[in-house]
Amino acid sequence: MDLELTDKTALVTGGSKGIGAAIVHRLLAEGAHVANVNRSTAEGEALQRKYAVQGKECYFIQGDLGESDACRNAVEKTVERFGRIDIVINNAGVNDGVGLEDGPEQFLESLQRNLVHYYAIVHHALPFLKEARGAIVNIGSKVSVTGQGHTSGYAASKGGINGLTREWAVDLADHGIRVNAVLPAETWTPLYDRIIRATDDPAAEKSAIERLIPLGRRFTTCEEIADMAVFLVSARSLHTTGQVIHVDGGYTHLDRKCTS
Ligand code: NAP
């Protein structure tokens, strides 16, 4: 299947680790050029070097997306480097556990970390996306539909991402721009690995979660999220927009009986 991504330019947020890194890898494998905006520097620079050796461009832009100037800067640098933006993949985020007891200031900070930059990146990239008749994928979370407890800021952000996905799909349909969301539930990343290892009984902790995932009793892989995200921005997905797609082995929707 030819995804027709050769020489397209993709701006990916949080592309240095976990799900974002898998998306970057898949886009590059399909012949796209990537700008990776990430807060930490070492991994982003290492990826840029690693892919350069293979003749691929994974242009690293340092920035903390919680700061609004970083979003404008990311778009400007991408356009300076590649002259265009065909694809935006909003991915950076963190389940920061800002709960009801923490108060409005921390809540707003959580929205800044998890939601506002999704809007700001697309806002600044809009003229280029219109020119390219491009595509957007927002990485969300099952928390947007299930709740989790003790994480109001993250849950509100992820709910907002689902809303914005539909809103922008309407806004941008006349420009031929498609907007979809991919929602992970339990996806195995190096960060998840570290969290589980820090528990008293990592093996028991891991298998307790795996038992809740109907398909295969295993975590989703980063590559499985990336495959869906990249398919959605590709030419093999040209009549799909406004969709909120759960890539989660059935975790969010299937009958509880199958995991009880
Ligand atoms: P991860 O392993 O922590 O990777 C996130 C990447 O984004 C890191 O490279 C991180 O940079 C970067 N990042 C985070 N906040 C940033 C900011 N403010 N500015 C710039 N870069 C930032 O996370 P992940 O598990 O792959 O998660 C990716 C997305 O999937 C997130 O939106 C998350 O909410 C969603 N998700 C994941 C799961 C799961 O099970 N893994 C489940 C549901 C939803 P640093 O290098 O500085 O840390």
Side-chain angles (χ1 to χ4, degrees), residues 62-251:
Q62 196 284 330
D64 183 340
L65 295 157
E67 296 160 10
S68 56
D69 282 353
C71 299
R72 183 195 303 273
N73 181 56
V75 169
E76 284 175 0
K77 285 232 163 83
T78 304
V79 174
E80 266 170 37
R81 181 74 195 90
F82 298 108
R84 59 188 294 144
I85 300 177
D86 303 276
I87 294 161
V88 165
I89 300 198
N90 276 316
N91 162 73
V94 59
N95 191 344
D96 50 12
V98 174
L100 266 174
E101 289 78 12
D102 291 306
E105 274 176 30
Q106 289 195 48
F107 180 72
L108 271 176
E109 284 169 17
S110 178
L111 298 188
Q112 200 76 31
R113 275 192 288 272
N114 287 300
L115 176 64
V116 177
H117 58 84
Y118 276 49
Y119 172 88
I121 288 279
V122 169
H123 167 74
H124 293 301
L126 203 50
F128 308 101
L129 287 167
K130 284 181 179 171
E131 206 176 316
R133 297 177 76 79
I136 300 166
V137 161
N138 294 321
I139 303 298
S141 169
K142 54 97 175 160
V143 168
S144 62
V145 293
T146 61
Q148 188 179 66
H150 311 292
T151 196
S152 297
Y154 183 70
S157 297
K158 293 303 189 184
I161 286 164
N162 295 358
L164 290 177
T165 299
R166 291 257 151 81
E167 171 69 5
W168 297 342
V170 174
D171 269 341
L172 300 176
D174 285 345
H175 297 278
I177 298 170
R178 299 176 302 99
V179 190
N180 294 289
V182 177
L183 274 53
E186 303 294 348
T187 300
W188 193 249
T189 62
L191 176 67
Y192 215 136
D193 186 40
R194 274 203 305 284
I195 292 168
I196 296 274
R197 275 174 202 273
T199 62
D200 290 341
D201 188 347
E205 198 76 33
K206 190 175 181 205
S207 75
I209 297 167
E210 285 170 337
R211 279 198 299 276
L212 299 172
I213 302 167
L215 192 63
R217 300 288 191 265
R218 65 168 177 83
F219 281 75
T220 307
T221 66
C222 291
E223 291 70 27
E224 287 165 334
I225 304 293
D227 284 347
M228 178 58 76
V230 172
F231 174 72
L232 286 170
V233 297
S234 81
R236 300 287 71 80
S237 193
L238 286 181
H239 215 217
T240 302
T241 196
Q243 299 305 306
V244 172
I245 297 175
H246 294 255
V247 178
D248 66 356
Y251 181 99

